[in-house]
Amino acid sequence: MASAGEPFACLTCYDATTARWLQRAGVHVLLIGDTAAEVILGFDRTIDMPLDIAIALTAAVKRGAPDTCIMGDMPFMSYQADEAQAMHNAARFLTEGRADVVKIEADASFAPLIGRMARAGIPICGHVGSRPQRAALSGGYGSAGRTPAEAQQIVDDAVAMEQAGCVLLLVEAVPPEVTDRIMARTTLPLIGIGAGTACHGQVLVLQDLVGMTDDPPRFAARSANLGQALQSAGEDWVRRVSQRAIGGHTYTMKQGDIRPGAGVEPPLVQTRTPDHAPTRARG
Ligand code: KIV
């Protein structure tokens, strides 16, 4: 799609049910981002994402969207501390997580590691620009590349990622001029988030797109208000429960009647008949 000049859509996703709907929607790439630490696990930083959970969620999304490109995101300290450990952890995203691509937040200093991963057959997406895993050092989440020196550094990082063997690039929270420069200096498909409209692909955190986060980044325009819809559904359920009007199917006795005074209670049927088999409705 990138070479045909057709923009492709990427969203974060963290569970099989949502993945099934997003595949039906035609979303091209699903990213199991370390933002799961925030939107799924309730931490206030992405660096709290546990590796095992990231891999398990990646596999869940792949099960829900088997025909969609699935990108796993390597959490903080799963690839920075030790190269051998990084190789092993990246491979787990492919084998256990069934990811098609593995993303790491990187700069030019990661080129040797990316080269080693590429030689081992691991497709890597290099995430440049604003890198939330470095927020403690950079003074928090925010934009990047807004001075000429910083912008040049990000472009150089992207070039180094391509030369090292990445198959995909992602740039976060930079001015469009930086995006343009990356696109002029590299040939890989570039996914942007808060990086202008020129990128080959665009990604957002799903919860920002569908209106479930209280404080989304300014670049994330909403397509829905699912937070409010969920609140209304919850309120409706509270009301129905309090009014004993839960609705839905009520089971009836197959034989006999156990209400007091209704006659002899028949023995409870213990054997499973096809009618008693578990159903998808968790019957
Ligand atoms: O972790 C994530 O969700 C990401 C996106 C914000 C690009 O890296």
Side-chain angles (χ1 to χ4, degrees):
M1 290 180 77
S3 55
E6 233 182 289
F8 61 92
C10 173
L11 280 173
T12 68
C13 183
Y14 317 96
D15 69 277
T17 304
T18 309
R20 200 163 67 239
W21 285 103
L22 294 178
Q23 177 168 286
R24 287 173 185 160
V27 177
H28 302 100
V29 182
L30 295 178
L31 166 65
I32 301 80
D34 60 4
T35 43
E38 299 171 331
V39 295
I40 302 300
L41 301 180
F43 292 110
D44 58 3
R45 311 172 304 181
T46 61
I47 59 170
D48 293 309
M49 188 65 206
L51 174 66
D52 288 344
I53 296 180
I55 293 170
L57 297 184
T58 303
V61 170
K62 187 65 179 181
R63 284 190 288 273
D67 303 326
T68 302
C69 177
I70 301 299
M71 179 147 66
D73 196 12
M74 295 193 72
F76 182 58
M77 276 307 133
S78 69
Y79 59 96
Q80 293 97 332
D82 173 77
E83 267 204 16
Q85 193 62 42
M87 295 291 294
H88 176 74
N89 291 340
R92 286 187 64 198
F93 276 92
L94 292 197
T95 54
E96 297 170 45
R98 299 269 164 184
D100 300 296
V101 188
V102 180
K103 177 168 87 60
I104 67 174
E105 293 184 16
D107 55 36
S109 70
F110 286 85
L113 173 64
I114 289 168
R116 197 169 160 191
M117 287 176 168
R119 284 193 297 282
I122 302 170
I124 298 292
C125 173
H127 175 155
V128 300
S130 175
R131 289 186 281 151
Q133 290 180 11
R134 288 170 51 86
L137 194 63
S138 58
Y141 294 171
S143 54
R146 295 172 75 184
T147 65
E150 242 192 64
Q152 188 58 52
Q153 186 58 57
I154 291 168
V155 175
D156 292 346
D157 289 340
V159 171
M161 301 291 97
E162 172 159 28
Q163 285 170 354
C166 280
V167 298
L168 203 54
L169 294 172
L170 185 147
V171 63
E172 177 164 352
V174 297
E177 293 88 330
V178 180
T179 298
D180 290 345
R181 199 72 201 119
I182 292 175
M183 293 180 78
R185 299 265 323 273
T186 61
T187 61
L188 294 176
L190 176 68
I191 300 174
I193 175 164
T197 56
C199 305
H200 302 102
Q202 294 286 345
V203 63
L204 280 182
V205 170
L206 177 71
Q207 282 74 1
D208 292 336
L209 178 76
V210 300
M212 295 184 77
T213 42
D214 287 337
D215 194 16
R218 281 184 297 165
F219 56 72
R222 287 182 172 179
S223 284
N225 279 313
L226 292 200
Q228 274 170 13
L230 203 52
Q231 183 178 332
S232 297
E235 286 165 355
D236 190 49
W237 177 240
V238 170
R239 181 191 56 75
R240 281 163 47 197
V241 169
S242 69
Q243 295 174 354
R244 299 187 193 287
I246 57 174
H249 175 80
T250 302
Y251 293 103
T252 55
M253 297 290 291
K254 284 204 156 185
Q255 51 177 254
D257 192 334
I258 60 164
R259 284 173 298 185
V264 183
E265 291 180 14
L268 284 176
V269 178
Q270 296 289 346
T271 48
R272 283 187 158 236
T273 67
D275 280 348
H276 287 82
T279 68
R280 294 277 302 152
R282 283 160 283 178

